[in-house]
Amino acid sequence: MMLFRRCLKFTGSKWNTHNLLFSGAIYSAQSEVNCTLGRRTYVTQGSNQRKRYNVGLFGCGRIAGVHLKNILSNRRLDLKWIVENDMRRIQEVKDEFYLDGNTPFFPSSERDRLLSDKSLDAVVVVSPTSTHTEYIVQSLKHGKDVFTEKPAGESVSDIRLCYETAENTGRTFLTGFTRRFDDSYRDVKSAIDNGTLGKLQVIKTTTRDSPKPSYEFLKSIGQSDVTSFHFRLDILMSTLNDNKGVYLIMMRTMNVFGTGGMALAENPREISTVIDGESGGSTRRLFNSFPQRFEAPFAAELDHFINCMDGTTTPLVTKEESLCVADIIEKGVQSYREKRVVFF
C-alpha cells in the first residue's frame, strides 16, 4: 500500500493520463490505395498521403510471433530484415510465416550495418529483455524510431537511458504495454474517471500464463516474475490515477469495486455462445493464452506506433509511467531479498 501511495505522490499530476489513454486514433485501412513515388511508398486515404515505413525486427522468440504477424499484415509497414541468432528458431519462423529470401535474417553482430541504412525508418525490439536497452539506444542513435516490448530495460537506470536517448535524438519511442489498448480495460478506466464507481475500494486483477513458459525461456529473461509484473503494475497504475488507499489484489481479469458501483473486465471466450437446456448449460472455452486473448490490442499498439511516427499523436505510454512501474518493481524485489520494508 505504501509503495503505491509514494509512487503516486512522486509522479504528481502526471498520473492523470485520461487524455493520453483515450486520445490515440486507431489506424483504419478503409478506402486506401498503395502508391509508389520514386523509391518512397505512401498509403493514401482520401486526400491525405501517409508514408509506408521500412522496419526491422530484433528477435523472433516467443512474443515475436505475435508482432511479426502484425507487421506482415499491416499495410503501412514493409519488413526489411529480422535479427536473430538462433538458427533453429529462424527456420521455425520461416516455416510458420512462409518467409522467403525477400525477408533476410541476420545475426546480432550485423546490427550496426543494418541500422546505418538510411532507408530504414524504425525498428521493433522483441528480443530477450537483457538486450533491450542496448538495441534501443543503438537504434535511436542511428536515427530510427523504436517500438519495444516491455520493459525497455532491466533496471530503472536502463529505462531512463532509453527515454533520455529518445529525447536527445528527437525520435519516437514507444513501450508496448498491451492492456492499454484493450477495449475492456479502457471501459473500466473510463468508468473510474467519470465517477461512475465512486470512491475506489478494491482492485483485483488476475494474470497468469497458459501454458507455462519453458524453463529455458524463464532462464533467458532472468527475473521472469519481475518482467511479467511490468504488465500488471502498468495497468493498475494507469487505472488508479490519484485514488489512494486502495486495496490491490494482483490476479488477467479485472474487478474494480467502488462506493458507487463495480466494473468487471472478463476474459472473452473463443465464441460468445451460451447454451442452456433442461440438462444444464455450457459456454465455449477461454482463449488459450495471451496472444489470442490480446490479439486486437497487440495490433492496436502497433497502429498507435505508426500514428506516432506520422506525428498525429504522441506515445500513450510515458517516460514517467514506465519509470514508476520499474521503480516499484525494483523496490519490491529489494524488499523480498532483504526481508524488510523498503521505502522510496
Side-chain angles (χ1 to χ4, degrees), residues 250-293:
M250 297 301 295
M251 294 175 54
R252 189 168 283 168
T253 59
M254 173 179 276
N255 301 67
V256 180
F257 300 90
T259 56
M262 65 164 288
L264 171 63
E266 291 187 302
N267 274 327
R269 297 181 178 272
E270 292 181 337
I271 301 176
S272 60
T273 307
V274 177
I275 300 176
D276 286 305
E278 290 183 358
S279 60
S282 66
T283 59
R284 295 302 185 107
R285 68 190 296 270
L286 297 169
F287 283 109
N288 181 57
S289 191
F290 69 91
Q292 296 79 35
R293 163 64 180 87

Side-chain angles (χ1 to χ4, degrees), residues 299-316:
E301 68 180 358
L302 185 61
D303 289 331
H304 176 68
F305 177 59
I306 295 171
N307 290 334
C308 291
M309 290 195 289
D310 285 339
T312 59
T313 189
T314 56
L316 185 145

Side-chain angles (χ1 to χ4, degrees), residues 77-92:
L77 301 177
D78 185 9
L79 181 63
K80 306 304 291 185
W81 46 257
I82 299 174
V83 165
E84 175 59 50
N85 295 322
D86 187 338
M87 296 304 298
R88 180 185 60 82
R89 181 56 183 159
I90 289 175
Q91 190 58 54
E92 290 175 349

Side-chain angles (χ1 to χ4, degrees), residues 3 223 225-226 229 328-343:
L3 290 179
Q223 297 175 349
D225 285 341
V226 172
F229 257 103
I328 293 173
I329 292 172
E330 282 196 356
K331 295 301 187 292
V333 172
Q334 180 185 353
S335 177
Y336 171 78
R337 288 175 174 171
E338 299 178 2
K339 311 299 181 185
R340 65 181 182 87
V341 175
V342 174
F343 300 91

Side-chain angles (χ1 to χ4, degrees), residues 20-38:
L20 281 177
L21 282 170
F22 302 103
S23 64
I26 302 301
Y27 165 70
S28 170
Q30 296 179 349
S31 304
E32 294 177 351
V33 179
N34 285 340
C35 302
T36 300
L37 304 175

Side-chain angles (χ1 to χ4, degrees), residues 61-341:
R62 189 172 75 138
I63 192 62
V66 177
H67 294 288
L68 179 55
K69 174 186 174 182
N70 290 331
I71 292 171
L72 293 174
S73 63
N74 196 304
R75 298 175 64 192
R76 297 290 310 278
L77 301 177
D78 185 9
L79 181 63
K80 306 304 291 185
W81 46 257
I82 299 174
V83 165
E84 175 59 50
N85 295 322
D86 187 338
M87 296 304 298
R88 180 185 60 82
R89 181 56 183 159
I90 289 175
Q91 190 58 54
E92 290 175 349
V93 170
K94 284 183 176 180
D95 294 341
E96 180 180 355
F97 293 95
Y98 301 95
L99 297 178
D100 53 26
N102 292 329
T103 306
F105 287 77
F106 298 96
S108 59
S109 58
E110 293 281 331
R111 63 183 184 275
D112 189 66
R113 179 181 65 83
L114 296 171
L115 292 171
S116 297
D117 181 0
K118 295 188 181 302
S119 69
L120 187 72
D121 300 297
V123 298
V124 176
V125 178
V126 291
S127 52
T129 305
S130 60
T131 66
H132 282 192
T133 301
E134 182 179 4
Y135 291 178
I136 291 167
V137 170
Q138 186 177 16
S139 300
L140 291 169
K141 288 183 176 179
H142 274 82
K144 313 306 178 187
D145 296 324
V146 178
F147 167 69
T148 183
E149 262 293 341
K150 92 299 300 155
E154 293 187 298
S155 66
V156 172
S157 58
D158 284 347
I159 295 173
R160 180 178 291 107
L161 175 62
C162 291
Y163 277 96
E164 289 179 349
T165 304
E167 293 168 352
N168 293 334
T169 58
R171 306 312 307 176
T172 295
F173 177 53
L174 175 67
T175 302
F177 287 101
T178 312
R179 286 158 180 74
R180 295 285 195 97
F181 300 89
D182 183 80
D183 287 340
S184 58
Y185 283 90
R186 291 155 72 103
D187 278 349
V188 172
K189 166 72 172 162
S190 179
I192 294 171
D193 288 348
N194 63 29
T196 300
L197 306 183
K199 180 177 174 57
L200 298 190
Q201 303 295 303
V202 176
I203 297 178
K204 182 173 75 172
T205 73
T206 305
T207 300
R208 58 175 63 91
D209 269 355
S210 173
K212 181 181 68 176
S214 67
Y215 288 112
E216 289 74 17
F217 170 76
L218 295 177
K219 286 189 292 185
S220 72
I221 61 175
Q223 297 175 349
S224 59
D225 285 341
V226 172
T227 301
S228 65
F229 257 103
H230 278 264
F231 267 128
R232 312 170 196 181
L233 284 177
D234 172 71
I235 195 62
L236 283 172
M237 300 310 295
S238 62
T239 300
L240 279 171
N241 280 350
D242 290 328
N243 287 280
K244 303 177 182 180
V246 179
Y247 181 58
L248 303 175
I249 304 175
M250 297 301 295
M251 294 175 54
R252 189 168 283 168
T253 59
M254 173 179 276
N255 301 67
V256 180
F257 300 90
T259 56
M262 65 164 288
L264 171 63
E266 291 187 302
N267 274 327
R269 297 181 178 272
E270 292 181 337
I271 301 176
S272 60
T273 307
V274 177
I275 300 176
D276 286 305
E278 290 183 358
S279 60
S282 66
T283 59
R284 295 302 185 107
R285 68 190 296 270
L286 297 169
F287 283 109
N288 181 57
S289 191
F290 69 91
Q292 296 79 35
R293 163 64 180 87
F294 295 104
E295 182 178 17
F298 274 118
E301 68 180 358
L302 185 61
D303 289 331
H304 176 68
F305 177 59
I306 295 171
N307 290 334
C308 291
M309 290 195 289
D310 285 339
T312 59
T313 189
T314 56
L316 185 145
V317 179
T318 67
K319 170 184 177 181
E320 290 78 14
E321 292 165 343
S322 293
L323 289 174
C324 187
V325 169
D327 201 15
I328 293 173
I329 292 172
E330 282 196 356
K331 295 301 187 292
V333 172
Q334 180 185 353
S335 177
Y336 171 78
R337 288 175 174 171
E338 299 178 2
K339 311 299 181 185
R340 65 181 182 87
V341 175

Side-chain angles (χ1 to χ4, degrees), residues 34-43 50-53:
N34 285 340
C35 302
T36 300
L37 304 175
R39 295 183 60 187
R40 289 186 175 182
T41 302
Y42 293 84
V43 178
R50 293 180 293 174
K51 181 180 177 182
R52 187 176 185 185
Y53 295 101

